[in-house]
Amino acid sequence: MGKAANSEPKSSPAHPKDEAYLKTVIPKRISLFESIQARQTEHLQSIAGDPIKITLPNGTVKEGKKWMTTPLDIAKEISKSLASNALISQVNGVLWDMSRPLDSDCELKLFTFDSDEGRDTFWHSSAHILGQSLEMTYGCKLCIGPCTTRGEGFYYDAFYGEDSPGLNEQHFEQIVTGAKKAVSEKQAFERIEVSRQQALEIFSDNNFKVEIINDLPEDKTITVYRCGPLVDLCRGPHIPNTSFVKAFACLKASSAYWRGNKDRESLQRVYGISYPDQKRLKEYIAMLEEAKKYDHRELTKKQELFFFHPLSPGSCFFLPHGTRICNKLLAFIRDQYWKRGYEEVCTPNMYNMQLWETSGHAANYKENMFLFEIEKQEFGLKPMNCPGHCLIFDHRVRSYRELPLRLADFGVLHRNEASGALTGLTRVRRFQQDDAHIFCRESQIKDEVKNVLEFINYAYGVFGFTFDLKLSTRPEKYLGDLATWDKAEAALTDALNEFGKPWQINEADGAFYGPKIDISVSDAMKRKFQCATLQLDFQLPSRFNLSYSAEDESKRERPVMIHRAILGSVERMFAILLEHYKGKWPFWLSPRQAIVCPVSDKSQSYGLQVRDQIHAAGYYVDVDTSDRTIQKKVREAQLAQYNYILVVGEEEANTGKVSVRVRDKPEHSVKSIEDLLTHFKEVVAAFH
């Protein structure tokens, strides 16, 4: 099925196992589960049988029976192939187990592994298989086991005791063996609904699950799933059974804190990946190997772009060549701002906590902020720009004629990330965003959203990214009135349709303060990242009591706020681009655009003259005045990833020309300085 990525088979080191815990807990949980399941099944059978209509996406209507017909039954009616590949269904917009009986007339969709819904469910179920292996192998207390937010695989956090040695790659073979056992037994994923008291009884031996249960809202439906010996608190849904997971591997192990709180229990986290076949697993492991070679943390050592220092954890030192790239990225966005009607502003780095109380961040985000006291008042470094932009909007009376007002800000932000979560440039404490907030009328939402989508499309086209779009709609708990939400969602839908790229709907996954469009980019290695954001917000304008005068000047109206970023975090985008280009920056973005290589001392003064001319034209150029051979100079320049290598000898010095070699191309050409600079200008204009 799969071992750890990149590890040779090794015998697993001894790890303590709590046999007493297993012998007591597993049979108790299974017994309670089966008892509740039997009562629920008996009840459903007593009320089942009324006819229901099941409508498929193509409009076909299937007949079924209430509390008897399952999505799997419908899949079997459609085709044998679909029945054997469908992993999960959606019933009236809600994800639903394939084996769970339908309870009313409904619209039904079925998903395989090739859909986001199918993949996420597959990996969530694989996390349960991983959890089962960990629990049965080590007798640990399971905590949480989701699919990862980056959309590749899953993990399970577990508590192994205060003095437990850490898991590592040497344990992976043993863990995978346990997972294989679960898969070979074709264990069904079974679901029951339980009361709070029943849940507390089932998981009374696991203080982590008890804490989760006690924190659930009173009206929350609590569900428990079982596969084989594993009985787990889980909202689901899950794939039909474990046998769908044909390929499984552990990727890495790390430490974690319960609920991300460094003052709580220390846990062990094991990451895994799984697929319906071995071929895809092998391709994924190969992609990981490729990605390791181009990890931005390794490439920077060769290119001297940035570094981190323990005296300022999570805050990057950009070196001169790294700063050149950052400045080019910001200049690229600034140029687009000029063309697209944005106004750039500069805002303070720290604010009195009164601002964050008004915005709601004090109640919901305080633990992620850096706080300090000044003259007996509490202040905080800003983790985002939106409240400051609300103050700008509100500092004088606004008219409808000023809208849409597009405020852009490259201000430095600080977020107090846990030290264990800091990861190169992708997870930092100090960063910049190409942040902007658009204040507009409800009638302007569609056009503004469409303009942002076109901005994203243009920028990502320049970078060589492809991207996917999802509309996340009103969640279960939301602020504002239904009519406003419906109008906003309709405006986003119209904007997406007019934009013309395919998009998907992500039911009930919007933020509580407004619907959003999720944008995930794919790089050259087909990895997905979330960079751009596009979010409607009805809440902040209300919290700050923002208004503008309407056409009828006696009336005040509330603006809608659109949060948007194209690059997202500049630091994170820097890392993604460095890996995407595999260290070979395109000329327009490159910190090393050209190097002049004199053949000998005789042509050195001409080489310095060429360097000065190119520098004066605004390009990053160096000159190699060392006593190395010209072959060695050219080779060193290629390794340093200079885009253009300009060789000058006596002939070039006499004719006022240069011999031009392009990185990674064997051929060369001879150009005058004037022609070379014209060529450079054309390459930059084309973003090559």
Side-chain angles (χ1 to χ4, degrees):
M1 272 185 100
K3 297 188 180 71
N6 308 316
S7 66
E8 295 297 321
K10 298 174 184 172
S11 59
S12 300
H15 195 290
K17 179 177 180 178
D18 193 339
E19 292 281 7
Y21 176 76
L22 286 177
K23 285 177 181 174
T24 306
V25 168
I26 303 298
K28 182 198 93 170
R29 286 185 190 158
I30 290 173
S31 174
L32 288 168
F33 185 96
E34 289 178 340
S35 171
I36 297 167
Q37 184 183 45
R39 290 198 299 274
Q40 290 184 0
T41 302
E42 184 181 358
H43 171 67
L44 292 181
Q45 286 173 347
S46 71
I47 60 172
D50 289 347
I52 56 172
K53 293 187 184 297
I54 300 119
T55 306
L56 303 179
N58 64 3
T60 303
V61 177
K62 297 281 185 182
E63 300 291 332
K65 291 186 177 179
K66 187 175 182 179
W67 295 119
M68 292 176 68
T69 303
T70 67
L72 184 57
D73 294 330
I74 302 300
K76 287 175 181 175
E77 287 184 33
I78 297 170
S79 77
K80 198 172 181 180
S81 171
L82 181 61
S84 59
N85 287 292
L87 299 173
I88 196 67
S89 70
Q90 193 180 67
V91 177
N92 293 333
V94 178
L95 288 178
W96 197 275
D97 302 280
M98 291 294 292
S99 58
R100 182 180 168 191
L102 301 168
D103 58 6
S104 63
D105 292 343
C106 63
E107 293 181 357
L108 177 69
K109 293 180 183 176
L110 301 171
F111 300 103
T112 65
F113 187 81
D114 295 323
S115 66
D116 288 343
E117 293 84 355
R119 257 192 315 277
D120 286 349
T121 304
F122 187 91
W123 284 331
H124 181 193
S125 299
S126 299
H128 280 237
I129 294 171
L130 171 61
Q132 180 183 143
S133 177
L134 294 171
E135 185 173 63
M136 298 307 292
T137 305
Y138 304 116
C140 55
K141 290 185 178 180
L142 298 178
C143 298
I144 57 167
C147 62
T148 61
T149 52
R150 69 177 184 275
E152 286 178 358
F154 49 91
Y155 66 84
Y156 218 118
D157 285 348
F159 180 70
Y160 295 80
E162 295 294 348
D163 303 315
S164 170
L167 294 176
N168 56 45
E169 288 190 3
Q170 294 181 49
H171 298 95
F172 289 175
E173 188 173 357
Q174 193 175 20
I175 296 167
V176 170
T177 299
K180 279 184 179 180
K181 182 175 184 295
V183 170
S184 68
E185 291 173 0
K186 199 176 179 178
Q187 299 166 357
F189 280 91
E190 301 171 277
R191 174 186 186 274
I192 57 171
E193 294 183 7
V194 297
S195 67
R196 183 179 298 268
Q197 201 51 48
Q198 287 171 327
L200 290 170
E201 185 181 3
I202 293 170
F203 298 104
S204 60
D205 305 277
N206 184 324
N207 54 302
F208 303 99
K209 302 289 184 185
V210 166
E211 188 174 327
I212 294 171
I213 294 162
N214 285 328
D215 286 349
L216 292 172
E218 287 296 330
D219 58 348
K220 182 77 173 174
T221 300
I222 301 174
T223 52
V224 173
Y225 278 81
R226 178 189 174 189
C227 61
L230 178 73
V231 175
D232 205 358
L233 180 72
C234 181
R235 67 182 177 186
H238 284 284
I239 62 177
N241 63 67
T242 56
S243 72
F244 282 77
V245 183
K246 299 287 195 301
F248 186 106
C250 293
L251 297 175
K252 64 177 181 176
S254 64
S255 295
Y257 292 113
W258 172 235
R259 297 198 151 174
N261 184 343
K262 67 182 186 304
D263 298 321
R264 296 295 304 272
E265 296 86 343
S266 181
L267 312 175
Q268 289 286 304
R269 176 174 295 178
V270 178
Y271 288 91
I273 188 72
S274 61
Y275 287 96
D277 57 75
Q278 286 288 345
K279 181 174 178 285
R280 278 189 267 200
L281 176 62
K282 286 176 183 173
E283 288 171 353
Y284 180 79
I285 299 300
M287 185 273 287
L288 285 184
E289 290 298 311
E290 179 80 355
K292 273 187 184 176
K293 290 191 287 187
Y294 303 110
D295 187 310
H296 69 281
R297 291 165 292 186
E298 294 302 315
L299 288 174
T300 186
K301 295 172 187 175
K302 299 172 186 174
Q303 298 192 13
E304 292 191 34
L305 302 174
F306 65 88
F307 71 93
F308 288 90
H309 195 283
L311 291 180
S312 187
S315 299
C316 174
F317 288 78
F318 276 110
L319 294 165
H321 288 85
T323 303
R324 290 175 180 182
I325 296 165
C326 287
N327 288 341
K328 288 280 186 182
L329 286 171
L330 297 185
F332 169 66
I333 295 295
R334 277 196 173 104
D335 182 58
Q336 290 301 307
Y337 283 166
W338 180 259
K339 294 172 182 175
R340 296 172 188 271
Y342 286 80
E343 298 285 353
E344 191 175 339
V345 297
C346 294
T347 50
N349 272 37
M350 64 179 188
Y351 293 90
N352 190 293
M353 280 307 289
Q354 288 178 22
L355 176 84
W356 307 111
E357 284 158 13
T358 302
S359 70
H361 290 96
N364 299 303
Y365 204 77
K366 194 171 183 179
E367 69 277 7
N368 298 108
M369 294 176 65
F370 288 100
L371 307 174
F372 45 92
E373 190 176 287
I374 298 176
E375 297 177 351
K376 298 183 180 178
Q377 293 189 62
E378 193 174 26
F379 281 73
L381 289 177
K382 65 178 176 184
M384 57 266 301
N385 288 307
C386 29
H389 290 185
C390 288
L391 295 184
I392 289 177
F393 186 93
D394 197 42
H395 94 284
R396 66 168 173 80
V397 174
R398 298 285 178 181
S399 163
Y400 73 94
R401 292 187 183 88
E402 295 179 71
L403 305 184
L405 178 63
R406 307 179 189 99
L407 300 179
D409 196 332
F410 293 111
V412 173
L413 306 176
H414 288 85
R415 295 181 185 173
N416 192 6
E417 301 281 0
S419 57
L422 300 175
T423 313
L425 288 176
T426 59
R427 197 81 178 266
V428 291
R429 286 176 173 163
R430 182 263 185 212
F431 62 99
Q432 285 178 272
Q433 282 186 324
D434 62 328
D435 214 0
H437 297 93
I438 301 167
F439 297 89
C440 65
R441 311 179 77 171
E442 281 187 25
S443 60
Q444 296 169 329
I445 290 173
K446 185 187 81 171
D447 287 341
E448 288 305 304
V449 168
K450 191 177 158 195
N451 290 340
V452 173
L453 289 171
E454 286 168 354
F455 192 171
I456 291 167
N457 189 51
Y458 174 77
Y460 287 2
V462 167
F463 296 139
F465 292 148
T466 57
F467 62 95
D468 298 316
L469 299 166
K470 285 184 182 174
L471 171 59
S472 295
T473 57
R474 185 181 69 253
E476 197 176 323
K477 293 185 177 177
Y478 62 91
L479 291 176
D481 62 276
L482 204 55
T484 303
W485 272 85
D486 288 344
K487 276 194 284 185
E489 288 176 7
L492 292 184
T493 299
D494 289 344
L496 284 165
N497 288 335
E498 288 185 21
F499 178 57
K501 262 185 79 80
W503 59 279
Q504 294 177 305
I505 197 151
N506 200 4
E507 298 279 3
D509 199 44
F512 66 92
Y513 49 82
K516 61 179 177 171
I517 295 174
D518 292 316
I519 302 109
S520 65
V521 304
S522 297
D523 71 358
M525 288 177 269
K526 297 181 180 174
R527 299 174 302 173
K528 290 197 172 186
F529 302 93
Q530 187 91 26
C531 299
T533 56
L534 208 175
Q535 170 81 59
L536 292 197
D537 190 346
F538 312 123
Q539 187 202 13
L540 272 187
S542 176
R543 293 185 78 107
F544 281 90
N545 197 26
L546 303 183
S547 65
Y548 60 89
S549 59
E551 287 93 333
D552 177 353
E553 291 189 4
S554 64
K555 285 187 179 178
R556 306 291 297 170
E557 291 184 0
R558 181 91 64 216
V560 176
M561 192 174 182
I562 301 175
H563 304 253
R564 53 105 295 195
I566 309 298
L567 305 177
S569 156
V570 175
E571 283 77 357
R572 189 162 183 266
M573 179 58 81
F574 186 111
I576 292 168
L577 287 171
L578 180 52
E579 295 180 7
H580 171 62
Y581 295 132
K582 299 181 178 178
K584 296 178 184 291
W585 296 100
F587 182 76
W588 76 273
L589 202 50
S590 177
R592 294 177 174 88
Q593 292 174 312
I595 185 168
V596 182
C597 295
V599 173
S600 67
D601 289 345
K602 293 177 183 177
S603 53
Q604 192 156 294
S605 62
Y606 176 65
L608 291 168
Q609 181 187 324
V610 169
R611 189 273 314 271
D612 291 345
Q613 285 179 269
I614 296 171
H615 176 81
Y619 300 100
Y620 297 127
V621 59
D622 296 309
V623 61
D624 186 343
T625 56
S626 70
D627 59 0
R628 290 178 291 201
T629 65
I630 190 61
Q631 291 82 4
K632 183 74 171 169
K633 287 181 180 181
V634 169
R635 180 63 185 146
E636 289 295 321
Q638 288 172 330
L639 291 174
Q641 302 304 333
Y642 282 93
N643 299 77
Y644 288 87
I645 302 163
L646 311 175
V647 176
V648 293
E650 287 184 68
E651 184 180 339
E652 286 79 14
N654 292 331
T655 58
K657 295 184 177 180
V658 292
S659 178
V660 182
R661 297 167 191 252
V662 182
R663 181 183 63 198
D664 299 331
K665 290 184 180 177
E667 66 272 9
H668 65 277
S669 60
V670 176
K671 290 183 185 290
S672 68
I673 303 301
E674 185 181 348
D675 287 347
L676 179 68
L677 293 177
T678 300
H679 175 67
F680 281 179
K681 190 175 180 180
E682 290 168 353
V683 173
V684 168
F687 297 107
H688 289 165

